[in-house]
Amino acid sequence: MADPDRFTPLPAQAPPSSSAGPLAWVRANLLSSPLNVAMTLGVLYLLVSIVPGIIDWAILKATVSGDGPNACDATEGACWTFIRLRFDFFIYGFYPEPERWRVDVVLGLLLLVVGPQFLSRFPGKKWIGLFGLTAFPLIVAMLLMGGLFGLPEVETGKWGGLMLTLVLSYVGIVAALPIGVALALGRRSTMPVIRAICVIFIEIWRGVPLISVLFMASVMLPLFLPEGVNFDKLLRALIGIIMFQSAYMAEVVRGGLQGIPKGQYEAADALGLGYWKGMGLVILPQALKMVIPGIVNTFIALFKDTTLVLIIGLLDVLATVQASIVDPAWGNVATEGYLFAAFCFWVFCFGMSRYSQSLERKLHTGHKR
Amino acid sequence: MSETVSADEIKARHPHLEHEVGRQPMIEIRRMNKWYGEFHVLRDINLTVHQGERIVICGPSGSGKSTMIRCINRLEEHQRGTIIVDGVELTHDVKNIEKVRREVGMVFQHFNLFPHLTVLENCCLAPIWVRKEPRHEAEARAMHYLERVRIPEQAKKYPGQLSGGQQQRVAIARSLCMQPRIMLFDEPTSALDPEMIKEVLDTMVQLAEEGMTMLCVTHEMGFAKTVADRVIFMDQGQIVEENNPHDFFNNPRNERTQLFLSQILAH
Ligand SMILES: Nc1ncnc2c1ncn2[C@@H]1O[C@H](COP(=O)(O)OP(=O)(O)OP(=O)(O)O)[C@@H](O)[C@H]1O
Ligand SMILES: [Mg+2]
């Protein structure tokens, strides 16, 4: 279509200043009608009356220095000293101090695995992703548990803080997606036995609150197991979380599968792709892409649900914060503690949300027919 | 049928339609019956198609045309009778179904291209994964067929970025990449705007000239008149009339055929 004689339009001119620039934006978006003007003024009033107080408390009058609870005695503002001194506990829980480098290595690896996924171009990005889904969790388990290669063993009861939160959610996410996909396929299978098994599994796990799943996993399951058979509490909690979340994931994925037109299945069949290749190459890529928002929603819910392991005596980041703020020596530091916990959760959930949006944009391949 | 391409027009553009019809049966359907629950869709279908034959199937809506050709590559299952495609009988045996589908290409009314793959990837998918061809070979063949349907420049685009006619030609190329011996067309032009019908029909005529065995469900009577060796008329799940195009159009014997033709040609 590159015909030199063809008409080429002139580049568009910049719009007149009355329809662009910050002033025009304000007029168009904030002051377009009396109701809008009133709402803008209302919001402005709220901001003016709240924000200075927050800045005052969080920054201007806050204390960061000092090496004990006394440091905050004289402050009216936030006592960030508390967060600073307890930071290690919030991150590592009771993980023994000389071994904490192992957690640092894991966190560094996590950054190396996840980081590139946010970049639009990175050499070997796919392989890094694949590594993150397969070998990485095993390496992490070996590193953190120890007992191999001369690493002293650290029992999982000592794991805690943000590190525990990340372990629970990462493993939960990595395992729940494939199991969920398998369950979704099974629920749509033409084989009655497989379909029945999947339906029963999904409906049972979906019908029970996670808290009772965890409770059963930690308190009741050992009662049914024969004497001497006892497996790790963390592992039991993990299995509970995975089962629970994969049931949710299955329904999200099934929604996607149902949205794929029948013609796609037929075209795959007609080309002789067969069930597995047709699913893997044609149907699932489209179905998963369609339900990315739902999948990420489930992941975010999972991430936040990991705090429930508190009930079976595992200390996630929120629980370590809670355990610290009740320390009478510190006085009232609940606000600082909870803000910190909230910030930890927000960072990761927001990251997932951004990632899902960039993925959606990347996978968008023009309008559908 | 707002616009059909006339027989003369097609003849003018493709002067020497060869009618080289082999004698070896490619498709043999004997006393085939199919039900949807209680509903008897196909009744005692008998049809033999030889290598290189071009069959056009027409008939009123709901008469079972789609269902019949979809039985040939087992997108639909028949309950009674036999279907033998290129010497392989279609039964529940998955191996046989795979074998048949490897020999039979299909083009759908709504194209059914894979929207998440580029045009080239659409064409290479099955050759690479089903026929285990090396990627560069599959891509070379795909480009060859895309050139034949005259859209090689669209290879890197996604289906959603193409016009209907272009999409349908990609769908034809995608089928051809599996190098089928039989092509099935289910109303390939009826979802297209009139100006795009021609480009797709041209591609089909070209295919016919090269001796492909073809079964086309279509209401393009111009196409039927020039290209078809036989025209089949279906009504209420039965093959009511079967004849060469000249006799089929000029002196249809069955009154249902006459009625149908008078309706479709009246436009
Ligand atoms: N999955 C199905 N279940 C039940 N009945 C069906 C199903 N598919 C088709 N039918 C019925 O079978 C009959 C034949 O359908 P078919 O699609 O083969 O008709 P057709 O001749 O291709 O019609 P058209 O020209 O409208 O495409 C119709 O009456 C239709 O309602
Ligand atoms: Mg039809």
Side-chain angles (χ1 to χ4, degrees), chain B residues 65-66 186-187:
Chain B
K65 310 177 295 290
S66 299
D186 191 359
E187 306 204 31

Side-chain angles (χ1 to χ4, degrees), chain A residues 52-69:
Chain A
I54 293 179
I55 292 178
D56 225 28
W57 177 83
I59 299 171
L60 298 178
K61 292 190 179 154
T63 311
V64 190
S65 58
D67 48 8

Side-chain angles (χ1 to χ4, degrees), chain B residues 206-226:
Chain B
Q206 190 189 349
L207 205 56
E209 285 170 352
E210 287 159 12
M212 176 67 79
T213 310
M214 292 165 70
L215 273 85
C216 311
V217 175
T218 181
H219 292 147
E220 293 296 333
M221 291 306 146
F223 177 79
K225 279 177 194 162
T226 26

Side-chain angles (χ1 to χ4, degrees), chain A residues 69-240:
Chain A
N70 312 347
C72 292
D73 283 352
T75 28
E76 292 165 44
C79 180
W80 298 125
T81 316
F82 164 71
I83 304 291
R84 210 191 83 233
L85 294 181
R86 288 305 190 114
F87 190 73
D88 280 2
F89 180 54
F90 296 158
I91 302 294
Y92 305 103
F94 294 109
Y95 209 85
E97 221 161 329
E99 304 300 328
R100 285 183 181 172
W101 63 269
R102 278 147 66 173
V103 180
D104 295 337
V105 169
V106 166
L107 290 178
L109 275 177
L110 182 70
L111 209 67
L112 286 182
V113 166
V114 175
Q117 308 304 320
F118 282 83
L119 304 173
S120 56
R121 269 172 195 284
F122 193 85
K125 182 173 150 183
K126 263 190 200 153
W127 296 108
I128 295 175
L130 199 67
F131 168 78
L133 296 179
T134 51
F136 179 60
L138 299 176
I139 294 174
V140 167
M142 273 194 310
L143 251 177
L144 292 182
M145 283 198 284
L148 288 167
F149 310 120
L151 290 173
E153 197 177 326
V154 179
E155 50 173 305
T156 54
K158 292 218 168 87
W159 301 15
L162 186 63
M163 160 227 169
L164 179 70
T165 301
L166 289 179
V167 166
L168 286 170
S169 11
Y170 195 87
V171 177
I173 285 171
V174 168
L177 185 59
I179 298 177
V181 169
L183 285 170
L185 291 180
R187 191 167 185 167
R188 287 169 59 85
S189 162
T190 47
M191 283 176 267
V193 179
I194 292 182
R195 195 170 56 226
I197 291 174
C198 291
V199 169
I200 291 170
F201 183 96
I202 291 170
E203 295 306 335
I204 285 183
W205 288 102
R206 249 186 353 152
V208 186
L210 180 58
I211 244 182
S212 60
V213 171
L214 291 173
F215 196 68
M216 285 205 289
S218 97
V219 180
M220 295 182 46
L221 197 63
L223 298 180
F224 297 120
L225 290 174
E227 194 93 19
V229 177
N230 188 16
F231 61 103
D232 198 85
K233 184 155 77 172
L234 178 67
L235 188 61
R236 276 179 278 155
L238 258 180
I239 292 175

